[in-house]
Amino acid sequence: MSVPADFRRVLEAADPDWKPGGPCRCQVVYGDHLEERLQVYSLVEYDKVMARIEEMPDSDSNKDVITHLMITQSEPLTVDKDGRTVLPLKRREKLGVTEGELSFRGRLSHFEIWKAESYSEEVSAPIKEFLADKPKNFNPLSLVP
């Protein structure tokens, strides 16, 4: 798979060991809660998530589940200088892809990888439905407090 250049630049900038022209590292979360998508975190963002989990009191009954979903069900991934990486077979199977097109969705702290067909159904269609009754030049930032 080829990681889009914009996402790759973020991963490179957030890998403390990255050198220009070299590979960069990131963390792929594939937890059961993600259903038909994967989440990819830069090393810096993933460390922030880990720090938040670590700060949770051990008495919090959610800590074990969150640890399992975000740590146990994740793995490192290396992206070469040209943006290519091999997505492990188990992760491709989770997406329902052995060959074919993937879709990438930028989020605030990470990006998602989807099978193209699933992306259309799960993301694009609901967004189009949401926008259907909005005025022509609707500004989504008008909804941000």
mmCIF file of all heavy atoms in Angstrom, residues 68-116:
data_model
loop_
_atom_site.group_PDB
_atom_site.id
_atom_site.type_symbol
_atom_site.label_atom_id
_atom_site.label_comp_id
_atom_site.label_asym_id
_atom_site.label_seq_id
_atom_site.Cartn_x
_atom_site.Cartn_y
_atom_site.Cartn_z
ATOM 1 N N HIS A 68 -6.369 -3.094 26.109
ATOM 2 C CA HIS A 68 -6.440 -4.189 25.142
ATOM 3 C C HIS A 68 -6.714 -3.658 23.734
ATOM 4 O O HIS A 68 -6.033 -4.026 22.776
ATOM 5 C CB HIS A 68 -7.518 -5.192 25.551
ATOM 6 C CG HIS A 68 -7.649 -6.333 24.596
ATOM 7 N ND1 HIS A 68 -6.794 -7.401 24.611
ATOM 8 C CD2 HIS A 68 -8.507 -6.549 23.575
ATOM 9 C CE1 HIS A 68 -7.120 -8.241 23.641
ATOM 10 N NE2 HIS A 68 -8.171 -7.751 22.995
ATOM 11 N N LEU A 69 -7.695 -2.773 23.597
ATOM 12 C CA LEU A 69 -8.102 -2.276 22.282
ATOM 13 C C LEU A 69 -7.061 -1.369 21.632
ATOM 14 O O LEU A 69 -6.914 -1.363 20.415
ATOM 15 C CB LEU A 69 -9.436 -1.538 22.385
ATOM 16 C CG LEU A 69 -10.643 -2.391 22.769
ATOM 17 C CD1 LEU A 69 -11.852 -1.506 23.013
ATOM 18 C CD2 LEU A 69 -10.930 -3.443 21.718
ATOM 19 N N MET A 70 -6.339 -0.603 22.433
ATOM 20 C CA MET A 70 -5.411 0.388 21.881
ATOM 21 C C MET A 70 -3.948 -0.045 21.905
ATOM 22 O O MET A 70 -3.148 0.488 21.140
ATOM 23 C CB MET A 70 -5.557 1.712 22.635
ATOM 24 C CG MET A 70 -6.904 2.364 22.448
ATOM 25 S SD MET A 70 -7.314 2.784 20.730
ATOM 26 C CE MET A 70 -6.071 4.007 20.360
ATOM 27 N N ILE A 71 -3.592 -0.959 22.786
ATOM 28 C CA ILE A 71 -2.193 -1.387 22.881
ATOM 29 C C ILE A 71 -2.024 -2.815 22.384
ATOM 30 O O ILE A 71 -1.243 -3.076 21.467
ATOM 31 C CB ILE A 71 -1.664 -1.245 24.323
ATOM 32 C CG1 ILE A 71 -1.738 0.222 24.770
ATOM 33 C CG2 ILE A 71 -0.236 -1.766 24.419
ATOM 34 C CD1 ILE A 71 -1.414 0.456 26.222
ATOM 35 N N THR A 72 -2.769 -3.728 22.988
ATOM 36 C CA THR A 72 -2.636 -5.132 22.602
ATOM 37 C C THR A 72 -3.027 -5.338 21.144
ATOM 38 O O THR A 72 -2.405 -6.121 20.440
ATOM 39 C CB THR A 72 -3.497 -6.027 23.515
ATOM 40 O OG1 THR A 72 -3.135 -5.765 24.880
ATOM 41 C CG2 THR A 72 -3.288 -7.488 23.210
ATOM 42 N N GLN A 73 -4.043 -4.615 20.692
ATOM 43 C CA GLN A 73 -4.500 -4.754 19.314
ATOM 44 C C GLN A 73 -3.946 -3.625 18.444
ATOM 45 O O GLN A 73 -4.668 -2.900 17.759
ATOM 46 C CB GLN A 73 -6.027 -4.812 19.259
ATOM 47 C CG GLN A 73 -6.573 -6.085 19.876
ATOM 48 C CD GLN A 73 -8.059 -6.238 19.675
ATOM 49 O OE1 GLN A 73 -8.818 -5.274 19.642
ATOM 50 N NE2 GLN A 73 -8.493 -7.478 19.533
ATOM 51 N N SER A 74 -2.620 -3.498 18.495
ATOM 52 C CA SER A 74 -1.924 -2.542 17.638
ATOM 53 C C SER A 74 -0.557 -3.115 17.310
ATOM 54 O O SER A 74 -0.101 -4.066 17.954
ATOM 55 C CB SER A 74 -1.777 -1.185 18.329
ATOM 56 O OG SER A 74 -0.788 -1.221 19.329
ATOM 57 N N GLU A 75 0.073 -2.543 16.300
ATOM 58 C CA GLU A 75 1.408 -3.003 15.920
ATOM 59 C C GLU A 75 2.145 -1.897 15.191
ATOM 60 O O GLU A 75 1.528 -1.032 14.568
ATOM 61 C CB GLU A 75 1.332 -4.254 15.055
ATOM 62 C CG GLU A 75 0.622 -4.074 13.738
ATOM 63 C CD GLU A 75 0.371 -5.402 13.035
ATOM 64 O OE1 GLU A 75 1.027 -6.401 13.318
ATOM 65 O OE2 GLU A 75 -0.526 -5.417 12.179
ATOM 66 N N PRO A 76 3.476 -1.935 15.267
ATOM 67 C CA PRO A 76 4.259 -0.929 14.543
ATOM 68 C C PRO A 76 4.244 -1.207 13.045
ATOM 69 O O PRO A 76 4.061 -2.347 12.615
ATOM 70 C CB PRO A 76 5.661 -1.090 15.125
ATOM 71 C CG PRO A 76 5.710 -2.467 15.683
ATOM 72 C CD PRO A 76 4.305 -2.835 16.052
ATOM 73 N N LEU A 77 4.420 -0.146 12.285
ATOM 74 C CA LEU A 77 4.459 -0.250 10.834
ATOM 75 C C LEU A 77 5.545 0.709 10.347
ATOM 76 O O LEU A 77 5.670 1.822 10.859
ATOM 77 C CB LEU A 77 3.106 0.145 10.248
ATOM 78 C CG LEU A 77 2.846 -0.134 8.784
ATOM 79 C CD1 LEU A 77 2.783 -1.641 8.525
ATOM 80 C CD2 LEU A 77 1.536 0.506 8.349
ATOM 81 N N THR A 78 6.327 0.262 9.394
ATOM 82 C CA THR A 78 7.365 1.105 8.805
ATOM 83 C C THR A 78 6.954 1.466 7.385
ATOM 84 O O THR A 78 6.518 0.613 6.620
ATOM 85 C CB THR A 78 8.721 0.359 8.791
ATOM 86 O OG1 THR A 78 9.074 0.044 10.146
ATOM 87 C CG2 THR A 78 9.809 1.214 8.186
ATOM 88 N N VAL A 79 7.106 2.749 7.064
ATOM 89 C CA VAL A 79 6.774 3.271 5.743
ATOM 90 C C VAL A 79 8.089 3.687 5.076
ATOM 91 O O VAL A 79 8.846 4.469 5.655
ATOM 92 C CB VAL A 79 5.814 4.484 5.854
ATOM 93 C CG1 VAL A 79 5.487 5.044 4.486
ATOM 94 C CG2 VAL A 79 4.544 4.096 6.608
ATOM 95 N N ASP A 80 8.369 3.171 3.889
ATOM 96 C CA ASP A 80 9.642 3.493 3.240
ATOM 97 C C ASP A 80 9.641 4.926 2.700
ATOM 98 O O ASP A 80 8.624 5.620 2.748
ATOM 99 C CB ASP A 80 10.010 2.461 2.169
ATOM 100 C CG ASP A 80 9.228 2.572 0.870
ATOM 101 O OD1 ASP A 80 8.516 3.577 0.644
ATOM 102 O OD2 ASP A 80 9.320 1.636 0.060
ATOM 103 N N LYS A 81 10.783 5.363 2.207
ATOM 104 C CA LYS A 81 10.955 6.754 1.767
ATOM 105 C C LYS A 81 9.992 7.153 0.648
ATOM 106 O O LYS A 81 9.696 8.328 0.475
ATOM 107 C CB LYS A 81 12.391 7.002 1.326
ATOM 108 C CG LYS A 81 12.817 6.229 0.087
ATOM 109 C CD LYS A 81 14.276 6.514 -0.257
ATOM 110 C CE LYS A 81 14.729 5.739 -1.462
ATOM 111 N NZ LYS A 81 14.171 6.188 -2.702
ATOM 112 N N ASP A 82 9.473 6.170 -0.083
ATOM 113 C CA ASP A 82 8.532 6.447 -1.163
ATOM 114 C C ASP A 82 7.077 6.307 -0.722
ATOM 115 O O ASP A 82 6.163 6.377 -1.541
ATOM 116 C CB ASP A 82 8.803 5.519 -2.350
ATOM 117 C CG ASP A 82 10.185 5.769 -2.948
ATOM 118 O OD1 ASP A 82 10.551 6.950 -3.097
ATOM 119 O OD2 ASP A 82 10.900 4.786 -3.231
ATOM 120 N N GLY A 83 6.862 6.072 0.572
ATOM 121 C CA GLY A 83 5.511 5.974 1.104
ATOM 122 C C GLY A 83 4.900 4.600 1.044
ATOM 123 O O GLY A 83 3.724 4.423 1.330
ATOM 124 N N ARG A 84 5.693 3.613 0.663
ATOM 125 C CA ARG A 84 5.161 2.256 0.542
ATOM 126 C C ARG A 84 5.350 1.489 1.848
ATOM 127 O O ARG A 84 6.329 1.667 2.568
ATOM 128 C CB ARG A 84 5.866 1.513 -0.588
ATOM 129 C CG ARG A 84 5.618 2.121 -1.942
ATOM 130 C CD ARG A 84 6.434 1.428 -2.982
ATOM 131 N NE ARG A 84 7.839 1.493 -2.583
ATOM 132 C CZ ARG A 84 8.857 1.609 -3.404
ATOM 133 N NH1 ARG A 84 8.655 1.635 -4.691
ATOM 134 N NH2 ARG A 84 10.088 1.678 -2.964
ATOM 135 N N THR A 85 4.398 0.621 2.101
ATOM 136 C CA THR A 85 4.480 -0.277 3.242
ATOM 137 C C THR A 85 3.697 -1.534 2.909
ATOM 138 O O THR A 85 2.846 -1.526 2.024
ATOM 139 C CB THR A 85 3.938 0.381 4.535
ATOM 140 O OG1 THR A 85 4.223 -0.456 5.648
ATOM 141 C CG2 THR A 85 2.442 0.643 4.454
ATOM 142 N N VAL A 86 3.995 -2.580 3.624
ATOM 143 C CA VAL A 86 3.240 -3.814 3.463
ATOM 144 C C VAL A 86 2.300 -3.921 4.659
ATOM 145 O O VAL A 86 2.751 -4.052 5.796
ATOM 146 C CB VAL A 86 4.163 -5.046 3.381
ATOM 147 C CG1 VAL A 86 3.336 -6.317 3.314
ATOM 148 C CG2 VAL A 86 5.090 -4.940 2.183
ATOM 149 N N LEU A 87 1.035 -3.823 4.379
ATOM 150 C CA LEU A 87 0.027 -3.978 5.419
ATOM 151 C C LEU A 87 -0.097 -5.472 5.693
ATOM 152 O O LEU A 87 -0.356 -6.245 4.770
ATOM 153 C CB LEU A 87 -1.303 -3.395 4.945
ATOM 154 C CG LEU A 87 -2.369 -3.118 5.970
ATOM 155 C CD1 LEU A 87 -1.886 -2.155 7.050
ATOM 156 C CD2 LEU A 87 -3.602 -2.539 5.292
ATOM 157 N N PRO A 88 0.139 -5.896 6.942
ATOM 158 C CA PRO A 88 0.096 -7.332 7.237
ATOM 159 C C PRO A 88 -1.216 -7.979 6.781
ATOM 160 O O PRO A 88 -2.283 -7.351 6.805
ATOM 161 C CB PRO A 88 0.235 -7.382 8.758
ATOM 162 C CG PRO A 88 0.946 -6.115 9.112
ATOM 163 C CD PRO A 88 0.439 -5.100 8.124
ATOM 164 N N LEU A 89 -1.115 -9.240 6.375
ATOM 165 C CA LEU A 89 -2.264 -9.981 5.859
ATOM 166 C C LEU A 89 -3.455 -9.928 6.803
ATOM 167 O O LEU A 89 -4.590 -9.704 6.370
ATOM 168 C CB LEU A 89 -1.868 -11.438 5.576
ATOM 169 C CG LEU A 89 -2.995 -12.340 5.064
ATOM 170 C CD1 LEU A 89 -3.557 -11.814 3.753
ATOM 171 C CD2 LEU A 89 -2.507 -13.767 4.907
ATOM 172 N N LYS A 90 -3.232 -10.098 8.101
ATOM 173 C CA LYS A 90 -4.349 -10.071 9.069
ATOM 174 C C LYS A 90 -5.072 -8.730 9.033
ATOM 175 O O LYS A 90 -6.289 -8.671 9.207
ATOM 176 C CB LYS A 90 -3.837 -10.352 10.477
ATOM 177 C CG LYS A 90 -3.443 -11.784 10.678
ATOM 178 C CD LYS A 90 -4.394 -12.399 11.659
ATOM 179 C CE LYS A 90 -3.992 -13.798 11.973
ATOM 180 N NZ LYS A 90 -5.073 -14.718 11.862
ATOM 181 N N ARG A 91 -4.351 -7.649 8.831
ATOM 182 C CA ARG A 91 -4.984 -6.325 8.773
ATOM 183 C C ARG A 91 -5.745 -6.159 7.461
ATOM 184 O O ARG A 91 -6.820 -5.575 7.429
ATOM 185 C CB ARG A 91 -3.951 -5.208 8.890
ATOM 186 C CG ARG A 91 -3.090 -5.208 10.115
ATOM 187 C CD ARG A 91 -3.820 -5.447 11.430
ATOM 188 N NE ARG A 91 -2.996 -6.335 12.236
ATOM 189 C CZ ARG A 91 -3.414 -7.469 12.788
ATOM 190 N NH1 ARG A 91 -4.653 -7.876 12.665
ATOM 191 N NH2 ARG A 91 -2.595 -8.208 13.497
ATOM 192 N N ARG A 92 -5.194 -6.666 6.368
ATOM 193 C CA ARG A 92 -5.915 -6.618 5.086
ATOM 194 C C ARG A 92 -7.186 -7.453 5.174
ATOM 195 O O ARG A 92 -8.238 -7.063 4.657
ATOM 196 C CB ARG A 92 -5.019 -7.104 3.949
ATOM 197 C CG ARG A 92 -3.842 -6.181 3.674
ATOM 198 C CD ARG A 92 -3.097 -6.504 2.395
ATOM 199 N NE ARG A 92 -2.758 -7.882 2.190
ATOM 200 C CZ ARG A 92 -1.567 -8.434 2.445
ATOM 201 N NH1 ARG A 92 -0.600 -7.707 2.956
ATOM 202 N NH2 ARG A 92 -1.347 -9.696 2.203
ATOM 203 N N GLU A 93 -7.100 -8.601 5.838
ATOM 204 C CA GLU A 93 -8.284 -9.447 6.011
ATOM 205 C C GLU A 93 -9.342 -8.734 6.837
ATOM 206 O O GLU A 93 -10.538 -8.847 6.559
ATOM 207 C CB GLU A 93 -7.900 -10.781 6.650
ATOM 208 C CG GLU A 93 -7.124 -11.695 5.721
ATOM 209 C CD GLU A 93 -6.577 -12.933 6.408
ATOM 210 O OE1 GLU A 93 -6.534 -12.981 7.661
ATOM 211 O OE2 GLU A 93 -6.183 -13.868 5.685
ATOM 212 N N LYS A 94 -8.924 -7.993 7.858
ATOM 213 C CA LYS A 94 -9.880 -7.235 8.680
ATOM 214 C C LYS A 94 -10.653 -6.254 7.805
ATOM 215 O O LYS A 94 -11.855 -6.078 7.973
ATOM 216 C CB LYS A 94 -9.163 -6.488 9.805
ATOM 217 C CG LYS A 94 -10.098 -5.612 10.633
ATOM 218 C CD LYS A 94 -9.335 -4.816 11.651
ATOM 219 C CE LYS A 94 -10.211 -3.885 12.438
ATOM 220 N NZ LYS A 94 -11.224 -4.452 13.248
ATOM 221 N N LEU A 95 -9.945 -5.627 6.857
ATOM 222 C CA LEU A 95 -10.589 -4.678 5.953
ATOM 223 C C LEU A 95 -11.377 -5.362 4.849
ATOM 224 O O LEU A 95 -12.163 -4.729 4.160
ATOM 225 C CB LEU A 95 -9.534 -3.764 5.315
ATOM 226 C CG LEU A 95 -8.766 -2.847 6.256
ATOM 227 C CD1 LEU A 95 -7.669 -2.124 5.502
ATOM 228 C CD2 LEU A 95 -9.690 -1.861 6.946
ATOM 229 N N GLY A 96 -11.142 -6.656 4.658
ATOM 230 C CA GLY A 96 -11.785 -7.380 3.567
ATOM 231 C C GLY A 96 -11.099 -7.125 2.236
ATOM 232 O O GLY A 96 -11.739 -7.143 1.191
ATOM 233 N N VAL A 97 -9.787 -6.870 2.283
ATOM 234 C CA VAL A 97 -9.034 -6.546 1.076
ATOM 235 C C VAL A 97 -7.810 -7.454 0.974
ATOM 236 O O VAL A 97 -7.015 -7.533 1.894
ATOM 237 C CB VAL A 97 -8.527 -5.082 1.128
ATOM 238 C CG1 VAL A 97 -7.597 -4.782 -0.025
ATOM 239 C CG2 VAL A 97 -9.680 -4.115 1.144
ATOM 240 N N THR A 98 -7.697 -8.160 -0.125
ATOM 241 C CA THR A 98 -6.438 -8.840 -0.416
ATOM 242 C C THR A 98 -5.775 -8.100 -1.568
ATOM 243 O O THR A 98 -4.566 -8.018 -1.650
ATOM 244 C CB THR A 98 -6.648 -10.328 -0.779
ATOM 245 O OG1 THR A 98 -7.634 -10.422 -1.797
ATOM 246 C CG2 THR A 98 -7.087 -11.111 0.441
ATOM 247 N N GLU A 99 -6.580 -7.550 -2.441
ATOM 248 C CA GLU A 99 -6.135 -6.656 -3.508
ATOM 249 C C GLU A 99 -7.222 -5.613 -3.673
ATOM 250 O O GLU A 99 -8.362 -5.826 -3.299
ATOM 251 C CB GLU A 99 -5.958 -7.422 -4.819
ATOM 252 C CG GLU A 99 -4.769 -8.329 -4.854
ATOM 253 C CD GLU A 99 -4.579 -8.949 -6.235
ATOM 254 O OE1 GLU A 99 -5.212 -8.483 -7.194
ATOM 255 O OE2 GLU A 99 -3.789 -9.881 -6.325
ATOM 256 N N GLY A 100 -6.865 -4.506 -4.233
ATOM 257 C CA GLY A 100 -7.877 -3.495 -4.491
ATOM 258 C C GLY A 100 -7.549 -2.179 -3.828
ATOM 259 O O GLY A 100 -6.533 -2.015 -3.176
ATOM 260 N N GLU A 101 -8.464 -1.269 -4.013
ATOM 261 C CA GLU A 101 -8.242 0.104 -3.594
ATOM 262 C C GLU A 101 -8.609 0.323 -2.130
ATOM 263 O O GLU A 101 -9.582 -0.232 -1.617
ATOM 264 C CB GLU A 101 -9.091 1.016 -4.479
ATOM 265 C CG GLU A 101 -8.624 2.442 -4.471
ATOM 266 C CD GLU A 101 -9.288 3.253 -5.560
ATOM 267 O OE1 GLU A 101 -9.449 2.741 -6.677
ATOM 268 O OE2 GLU A 101 -9.648 4.400 -5.273
ATOM 269 N N LEU A 102 -7.819 1.178 -1.489
ATOM 270 C CA LEU A 102 -8.077 1.588 -0.113
ATOM 271 C C LEU A 102 -8.423 3.067 -0.102
ATOM 272 O O LEU A 102 -8.037 3.810 -1.001
ATOM 273 C CB LEU A 102 -6.839 1.354 0.756
ATOM 274 C CG LEU A 102 -6.386 -0.088 0.915
ATOM 275 C CD1 LEU A 102 -5.039 -0.138 1.615
ATOM 276 C CD2 LEU A 102 -7.423 -0.895 1.676
ATOM 277 N N SER A 103 -9.143 3.495 0.920
ATOM 278 C CA SER A 103 -9.424 4.913 1.119
ATOM 279 C C SER A 103 -8.799 5.340 2.427
ATOM 280 O O SER A 103 -8.766 4.570 3.397
ATOM 281 C CB SER A 103 -10.932 5.168 1.165
ATOM 282 O OG SER A 103 -11.497 4.965 -0.101
ATOM 283 N N PHE A 104 -8.304 6.569 2.457
ATOM 284 C CA PHE A 104 -7.683 7.132 3.649
ATOM 285 C C PHE A 104 -8.530 8.295 4.122
ATOM 286 O O PHE A 104 -9.000 9.101 3.308
ATOM 287 C CB PHE A 104 -6.268 7.618 3.323
ATOM 288 C CG PHE A 104 -5.321 6.504 2.986
ATOM 289 C CD1 PHE A 104 -5.328 5.931 1.723
ATOM 290 C CD2 PHE A 104 -4.436 6.017 3.926
ATOM 291 C CE1 PHE A 104 -4.463 4.897 1.395
ATOM 292 C CE2 PHE A 104 -3.568 4.986 3.621
ATOM 293 C CZ PHE A 104 -3.576 4.428 2.351
ATOM 294 N N ARG A 105 -8.706 8.378 5.431
ATOM 295 C CA ARG A 105 -9.524 9.448 6.013
ATOM 296 C C ARG A 105 -8.716 10.126 7.111
ATOM 297 O O ARG A 105 -8.361 9.506 8.115
ATOM 298 C CB ARG A 105 -10.800 8.854 6.594
ATOM 299 C CG ARG A 105 -11.710 9.869 7.244
ATOM 300 C CD ARG A 105 -12.902 9.177 7.859
ATOM 301 N NE ARG A 105 -13.888 10.133 8.311
ATOM 302 C CZ ARG A 105 -14.868 9.843 9.148
ATOM 303 N NH1 ARG A 105 -15.014 8.604 9.602
ATOM 304 N NH2 ARG A 105 -15.727 10.753 9.521
ATOM 305 N N GLY A 106 -8.411 11.396 6.910
ATOM 306 C CA GLY A 106 -7.676 12.148 7.916
ATOM 307 C C GLY A 106 -8.561 12.484 9.101
ATOM 308 O O GLY A 106 -9.724 12.854 8.929
ATOM 309 N N ARG A 107 -8.020 12.336 10.278
ATOM 310 C CA ARG A 107 -8.697 12.712 11.515
ATOM 311 C C ARG A 107 -7.790 13.723 12.224
ATOM 312 O O ARG A 107 -6.740 14.082 11.709
ATOM 313 C CB ARG A 107 -8.940 11.480 12.393
ATOM 314 C CG ARG A 107 -9.658 10.332 11.675
ATOM 315 C CD ARG A 107 -11.037 10.648 11.216
ATOM 316 N NE ARG A 107 -11.920 10.607 12.367
ATOM 317 C CZ ARG A 107 -13.172 11.010 12.343
ATOM 318 N NH1 ARG A 107 -13.696 11.474 11.256
ATOM 319 N NH2 ARG A 107 -13.917 10.943 13.407
ATOM 320 N N LEU A 108 -8.143 14.160 13.410
ATOM 321 C CA LEU A 108 -7.311 15.156 14.079
ATOM 322 C C LEU A 108 -5.995 14.568 14.595
ATOM 323 O O LEU A 108 -4.946 15.176 14.433
ATOM 324 C CB LEU A 108 -8.089 15.809 15.225
ATOM 325 C CG LEU A 108 -9.288 16.650 14.782
ATOM 326 C CD1 LEU A 108 -10.068 17.137 15.985
ATOM 327 C CD2 LEU A 108 -8.850 17.801 13.909
ATOM 328 N N SER A 109 -6.035 13.401 15.200
ATOM 329 C CA SER A 109 -4.828 12.844 15.812
ATOM 330 C C SER A 109 -4.267 11.638 15.066
ATOM 331 O O SER A 109 -3.236 11.106 15.453
ATOM 332 C CB SER A 109 -5.123 12.436 17.257
ATOM 333 O OG SER A 109 -6.087 11.394 17.288
ATOM 334 N N HIS A 110 -4.952 11.209 14.019
ATOM 335 C CA HIS A 110 -4.547 10.002 13.301
ATOM 336 C C HIS A 110 -5.240 9.990 11.930
ATOM 337 O O HIS A 110 -5.979 10.911 11.616
ATOM 338 C CB HIS A 110 -4.930 8.752 14.101
ATOM 339 C CG HIS A 110 -6.403 8.617 14.321
ATOM 340 N ND1 HIS A 110 -7.076 9.304 15.306
ATOM 341 C CD2 HIS A 110 -7.348 7.900 13.668
ATOM 342 C CE1 HIS A 110 -8.369 9.005 15.254
ATOM 343 N NE2 HIS A 110 -8.557 8.162 14.256
ATOM 344 N N PHE A 111 -4.978 8.966 11.151
ATOM 345 C CA PHE A 111 -5.762 8.769 9.940
ATOM 346 C C PHE A 111 -6.279 7.341 9.923
ATOM 347 O O PHE A 111 -5.799 6.487 10.656
ATOM 348 C CB PHE A 111 -5.009 9.147 8.655
ATOM 349 C CG PHE A 111 -3.800 8.314 8.320
ATOM 350 C CD1 PHE A 111 -3.912 7.158 7.560
ATOM 351 C CD2 PHE A 111 -2.534 8.725 8.717
ATOM 352 C CE1 PHE A 111 -2.795 6.413 7.224
ATOM 353 C CE2 PHE A 111 -1.408 7.985 8.375
ATOM 354 C CZ PHE A 111 -1.537 6.832 7.634
ATOM 355 N N GLU A 112 -7.318 7.140 9.128
ATOM 356 C CA GLU A 112 -7.945 5.826 9.037
ATOM 357 C C GLU A 112 -7.700 5.234 7.661
ATOM 358 O O GLU A 112 -7.574 5.961 6.678
ATOM 359 C CB GLU A 112 -9.460 5.937 9.260
ATOM 360 C CG GLU A 112 -9.835 6.449 10.624
ATOM 361 C CD GLU A 112 -11.331 6.707 10.772
ATOM 362 O OE1 GLU A 112 -12.049 6.813 9.749
ATOM 363 O OE2 GLU A 112 -11.763 6.820 11.914
ATOM 364 N N ILE A 113 -7.680 3.902 7.615
ATOM 365 C CA ILE A 113 -7.597 3.172 6.363
ATOM 366 C C ILE A 113 -8.868 2.340 6.240
ATOM 367 O O ILE A 113 -9.238 1.625 7.178
ATOM 368 C CB ILE A 113 -6.362 2.252 6.321
ATOM 369 C CG1 ILE A 113 -5.081 3.058 6.529
ATOM 370 C CG2 ILE A 113 -6.322 1.476 4.997
ATOM 371 C CD1 ILE A 113 -3.849 2.192 6.684
ATOM 372 N N TRP A 114 -9.523 2.447 5.105
ATOM 373 C CA TRP A 114 -10.773 1.757 4.831
ATOM 374 C C TRP A 114 -10.670 1.025 3.497
ATOM 375 O O TRP A 114 -9.987 1.494 2.582
ATOM 376 C CB TRP A 114 -11.921 2.745 4.676
ATOM 377 C CG TRP A 114 -12.337 3.496 5.893
ATOM 378 C CD1 TRP A 114 -11.685 4.537 6.479
ATOM 379 C CD2 TRP A 114 -13.520 3.294 6.649
ATOM 380 N NE1 TRP A 114 -12.402 4.993 7.551
ATOM 381 C CE2 TRP A 114 -13.527 4.242 7.681
ATOM 382 C CE3 TRP A 114 -14.589 2.394 6.540
ATOM 383 C CZ2 TRP A 114 -14.558 4.332 8.603
ATOM 384 C CZ3 TRP A 114 -15.609 2.483 7.462
ATOM 385 C CH2 TRP A 114 -15.592 3.433 8.486
ATOM 386 N N LYS A 115 -11.399 -0.053 3.367
ATOM 387 C CA LYS A 115 -11.652 -0.629 2.043
ATOM 388 C C LYS A 115 -12.497 0.412 1.312
ATOM 389 O O LYS A 115 -13.424 0.991 1.890
ATOM 390 C CB LYS A 115 -12.419 -1.947 2.200
ATOM 391 C CG LYS A 115 -12.765 -2.626 0.910
ATOM 392 C CD LYS A 115 -13.516 -3.926 1.185
ATOM 393 C CE LYS A 115 -13.875 -4.656 -0.081
ATOM 394 N NZ LYS A 115 -14.597 -5.902 0.211
ATOM 395 N N ALA A 116 -12.193 0.675 0.049
ATOM 396 C CA ALA A 116 -12.861 1.752 -0.686
ATOM 397 C C ALA A 116 -14.384 1.624 -0.647
ATOM 398 O O ALA A 116 -15.094 2.609 -0.425
ATOM 399 C CB ALA A 116 -12.355 1.802 -2.124
#
